Amino acid sequence: MSADRRVAITGIGVAGPWHSDADDFFSRMLAGESAVRMHERDEDHLAISIPGVNWDDFNAFTELGGNISTLDRAGQLGLLAARKAWQQAGRPTSDAPLRSGAVYWGTALAGTLTFERGYREMYLHQRRRVPPLSLLLGMNNTAASHIAIEHKLGGACLTYTIACAAAATAIGEAYRRIRRGESDVAICGGSDSPMSLGVVRAWEALRVLADAEPHGASAACRPFATDRTGLVLGEGAAALVLEDWDTALARGATILAELAGYGCSSDADHLVRPSADGQVHAMQQALGDAGLDVAQIGYINAHGTATPEGDPIEIDAIRQVFGPHAENLPVSATKSMHGHMMGATGAIEAVICVQALRQGKLPPTAHLESLDPACEGVRHIREHALEAPIDACISNAFAFGGSNAVLAFRRATH
């Protein structure tokens, strides 16, 4: 067992709008293309009408080839993303469980659609029973278990439910265990499908969802802008395959990037009011863990949810960590285009960081036409993608509950 093994990223997978693979998804981010549309449902006279990101033409039976009876929609998306990442990594699947292989997965709400369907059956339609597989569909660890079963990964199979930091935490914990030699390979990431009536109503009650007007649904999420009104919910999944660096090299794998550092912290202050101190601590941990100086960081994928309170605090935290370098440090918030995928969002943004390192191109914050003076002090990428070959970057994920997770990535070098 080694205490300082390097961790290679050998596969990335995305399941979300546009039927995208990771390359197509990143191209759309570079182009500033928004996946946000009006999400409207009316079931049992219970209506939803909000800007959101929903993969309306996702057909689980077609995409997954059957065998979906024990998977909620969030689990289906997760299994698809994991399958894509595993295929890109070119790892064989053994017949017997691989004890050095593990799954680390994140979700905020997991099977919420299943449980809401059960409640409707009971309370609206006066039925005494819910569908028989409801419990299996709704369990928080269903996605992770299905991923482990499909790929015969017989080591740890852990699920993290840490709100918006869930996937970033899952990836970070996978990284730590591979680095320590507890696992040689892991599928990690996250999935969520939060567009149930109950969840949407809960978010509306907090008064943090974006307004469709006056800019229209596709431009509703406007991080760092003076006219931002809040976040946009989205569904999706993303996965990474992490491997011990030397093992990946020995089998001739293509290494996409290096996961070099991870930091996590708690604000220990308030459930919904973020703290710059907690975010600073998480970023400093990630940089220290990676052995990176602030001047080596060439891009930050910000948490950037477009809430009036959250955006300035994150920029303040970045300025504290990066000092004078912050003024020239490119920053963007891609939730302006893919929405806030809750427990999956840290994985989606990790994929974007890997692609940024590979291609030397950085996506913009869409719809950032008028910068909030409280968010000044960094180099915001606005309107168009930025061509900037970079050697390292970080991704921030900051959750309700005051949980923070930061991942640090390096360009693959041998």
Side-chain angles (χ1 to χ4, degrees):
M1 184 178 290
S2 170
D4 57 358
R5 301 201 307 181
R6 295 175 72 186
V7 178
I9 301 169
T10 56
I12 49 178
V14 170
W18 306 306
H19 286 273
S20 286
D21 58 24
D23 288 340
D24 177 68
F25 186 82
F26 188 62
S27 294
R28 292 175 187 269
M29 295 295 101
L30 292 176
E33 186 174 346
S34 173
V36 182
R37 303 286 184 270
M38 283 306 295
H39 175 66
E40 296 178 319
R41 289 173 50 197
D42 189 353
E43 298 176 27
D44 298 319
H45 306 293
L46 302 173
I48 296 174
S49 180
I50 59 167
V53 177
N54 213 49
W55 189 1
D56 292 327
D57 55 351
F58 171 65
N59 183 316
F61 187 84
T62 301
E63 297 284 351
L64 295 170
N67 193 27
I68 57 173
S69 60
T70 53
L71 274 165
D72 185 274
R73 185 175 175 90
Q76 293 166 358
L77 294 168
L79 186 62
L80 179 59
R83 185 179 293 180
K84 291 180 177 181
W86 193 255
Q87 288 172 347
Q88 183 177 29
R91 294 274 318 195
T93 296
S94 61
D95 294 331
L98 178 65
R99 299 301 176 192
S100 61
V103 179
Y104 302 88
W105 204 249
T107 185
L109 296 163
T112 186
L113 292 173
T114 292
F115 288 128
E116 182 171 292
R117 192 175 302 119
Y119 298 146
R120 285 175 145 182
E121 291 294 318
M122 290 190 296
Y123 299 129
L124 285 179
H125 302 296
Q126 306 301 309
R127 296 194 174 97
R128 298 184 62 189
R129 297 181 184 278
V130 297
L133 297 180
S134 293
L135 185 62
L136 296 179
L137 288 160
M139 295 190 309
N140 287 349
N141 63 330
T142 294
S145 295
H146 274 278
I147 292 167
I149 291 167
E150 176 161 298
H151 301 289
K152 293 291 183 186
L153 300 175
C157 182
L158 301 177
T159 298
Y160 301 83
T161 56
I162 311 171
C164 312
T169 300
I171 294 168
E173 295 298 322
Y175 153 82
R176 280 183 173 171
R177 284 165 172 77
I178 291 176
R179 192 178 183 189
R180 290 199 297 254
E182 296 175 23
S183 301
D184 289 333
V185 59
I187 297 176
C188 53
S191 54
D192 256 321
S193 181
M195 296 299 196
S196 76
L197 178 71
V199 170
V200 169
R201 288 288 181 265
W203 279 100
E204 286 179 333
L206 275 178
R207 304 173 69 86
V208 295
L209 295 185
D211 297 328
E213 301 297 334
H215 303 288
S218 66
C221 187
R222 310 169 75 82
F224 310 125
T226 54
D227 52 0
R228 67 193 184 280
T229 57
L231 60 87
V232 164
L233 296 175
E235 68 168 5
L240 283 69
V241 174
L242 305 184
E243 295 186 60
D244 163 55
W245 187 277
D246 292 336
T247 302
L249 282 181
R251 71 178 185 86
T254 299
I255 296 177
L256 307 177
E258 179 178 3
L259 184 53
Y262 163 54
C264 64
S265 70
S266 170
D267 291 345
D269 183 54
H270 197 278
L271 279 179
V272 296
R273 185 181 60 232
S275 157
D277 288 346
Q279 297 175 9
V280 165
H281 187 46
M283 282 188 273
Q284 289 177 334
Q285 280 187 74
L287 294 173
D289 191 37
L292 289 165
D293 184 79
V294 294
Q296 294 176 275
I297 298 299
Y299 170 61
I300 296 178
N301 188 294
H303 187 60
T305 57
T307 58
E309 185 166 21
D311 288 358
I313 289 175
E314 182 174 10
I315 296 300
D316 177 32
I318 291 171
R319 288 195 300 251
Q320 290 187 46
V321 172
F322 289 88
H325 179 55
E327 291 284 348
N328 296 313
L329 177 55
V331 173
S332 67
T334 48
K335 290 185 180 70
S336 54
M337 297 173 280
H338 56 67
H340 196 339
M341 298 180 178
M342 311 303 298
T345 197
I348 287 280
E349 290 164 3
V351 167
I352 289 171
C353 284
V354 171
Q355 296 288 61
L357 288 164
R358 296 175 69 198
Q359 299 188 24
K361 297 176 182 176
L362 311 179
T365 300
H367 327 304
L368 180 50
E369 295 155 6
S370 175
L371 178 64
D372 180 353
C375 296
E376 293 178 348
V378 301
R379 183 183 178 187
H380 287 282
I381 309 171
R382 305 164 63 172
E383 298 185 13
H384 304 292
L386 178 67
E387 292 212 19
I390 58 173
D391 292 323
C393 61
I394 66 171
S395 176
N396 289 340
F398 305 139
F400 275 175
S403 296
N404 309 302
V406 177
L407 301 171
F409 303 86
R410 283 182 186 268
R411 187 163 54 86
T413 56
H414 301 278

